[in-house]
Amino acid sequence: MLTRRSFVATGAMAGLSACASVTRTAAPAPVPAAPPAPPPIPPLPAFYGAITDEPFPVPAIPEGVLPQEYWRQEVDNPYKGHAYGTIVVDPDEALLYFIESDETATRYGVSVGAAGFDWEGTARLQFCRKWPRWKVPASMIERQPELAPYSVANGGMDPGPGNPMGARALYLFQNGVDTLYRIHGDASYRELGKAVSSGCIRMLNQDVIHLHSRGVHGSDVIVLPAIKPKGLSALY
């Protein structure tokens, strides 16, 4: 017999059952879609392999770590009207161009240190050095006294692994005066295309060796104005 009390109890149980049913069938929260994976980097050109005929070893660049836009490559010349051998440095884009003709240029990826953003203009490629010594200027030794053993007076740091100038260096002068602006080697493949804390214009050793072999003594080196802030803390 359905009494008032059993009717109320039955209704309450039915309500709880309905609530439980709704809870069990609630739709799960949507899971955000994973971003698409970047396309794989194709195999590097052979010229980024190890170089074994130099006074010091130049190791190969590992596969799959160097974006293709920073490979050494021939491109359409974006800076027409300059003589063969002119070098144009774009610090903001972290690219260096060696002018081949009005139609073509060889482009290199670089990394740009503090000094690379602090100077601009047209300089003269005064001379180049293979496996140069690193001669620390007095102003830097004032900030980092531990570098005093590598001062100009002490003859600088011996070339080779650990020397931040790398396998080659190009020295820029303006009106007969050293700008202290250098294009040099020893860049890490991780740095290419980036602003780093130190140095001027750093290249992979494979690339700076190639540039040095083609550099024209006395040619113009044009460093474009940089938009990025100047005055970063320079280490060398």
Side-chain angles (χ1 to χ4, degrees), residues 131-137 140-141 144 146-147 149-152 154-160 162-166 171 182 184 198-199 235-236:
W131 296 99
R133 302 184 71 82
W134 178 37
K135 298 181 179 180
V136 184
M140 188 172 299
I141 293 174
Q144 296 176 268
E146 68 274 14
L147 297 178
Y150 310 121
S151 68
V152 176
N154 288 329
M157 178 185 286
D158 290 340
N163 184 315
M165 300 297 283
Y171 297 77
R182 308 286 186 256
H184 61 88
S198 55
L235 299 182
Y236 62 84

Side-chain angles (χ1 to χ4, degrees), residues 89-95 112 116-117 119 181 201 223-226 228:
V89 178
D90 185 339
D92 284 324
E93 294 297 325
L95 296 171
V112 185
F117 289 115
W119 190 90
Y181 198 100
I201 300 297
V223 181
L224 301 178
K228 292 180 179 176

Side-chain angles (χ1 to χ4, degrees), residues 116-196:
F117 289 115
D118 280 340
W119 190 90
E120 63 190 53
T122 300
R124 169 188 169 94
L125 178 54
Q126 191 75 6
F127 57 88
C128 306
R129 291 287 183 267
K130 296 181 177 181
W131 296 99
R133 302 184 71 82
W134 178 37
K135 298 181 179 180
V136 184
S139 59
M140 188 172 299
I141 293 174
E142 289 179 4
R143 298 192 301 271
Q144 296 176 268
E146 68 274 14
L147 297 178
Y150 310 121
S151 68
V152 176
N154 288 329
M157 178 185 286
D158 290 340
N163 184 315
M165 300 297 283
R168 304 287 190 272
L170 285 65
Y171 297 77
L172 279 58
F173 280 57
Q174 192 176 52
N175 301 320
V177 178
D178 189 353
T179 65
L180 301 180
Y181 198 100
R182 308 286 186 256
I183 299 169
H184 61 88
D186 210 40
S188 164
Y189 58 84
R190 297 183 182 91
E191 299 174 351
L192 287 203
K194 300 176 182 178
V196 294

Side-chain angles (χ1 to χ4, degrees), residues 13-116:
M13 290 298 294
L16 289 173
S17 176
C19 290
S21 176
V22 170
T23 302
R24 285 196 301 270
T25 58
V31 178
I41 297 175
L44 285 169
F47 52 71
Y48 283 128
I51 300 177
T52 59
D53 58 354
E54 287 283 323
F56 304 97
V58 176
I61 306 301
E63 289 288 352
V65 297
L66 184 59
Q68 198 168 2
E69 60 264 33
Y70 299 119
W71 294 2
R72 181 201 319 166
Q73 56 194 287
E74 186 173 290
V75 298
D76 292 338
N77 180 8
Y79 303 106
K80 299 184 184 300
H82 295 291
Y84 169 83
T86 300
I87 294 172
V88 181
V89 178
D90 185 339
D92 284 324
E93 294 297 325
L95 296 171
L96 182 150
Y97 296 84
F98 180 89
I99 305 303
E100 306 281 357
S101 68
D102 235 20
E103 287 71 41
T104 62
T106 300
R107 191 182 75 191
Y108 306 83
V110 301
S111 64
V112 185

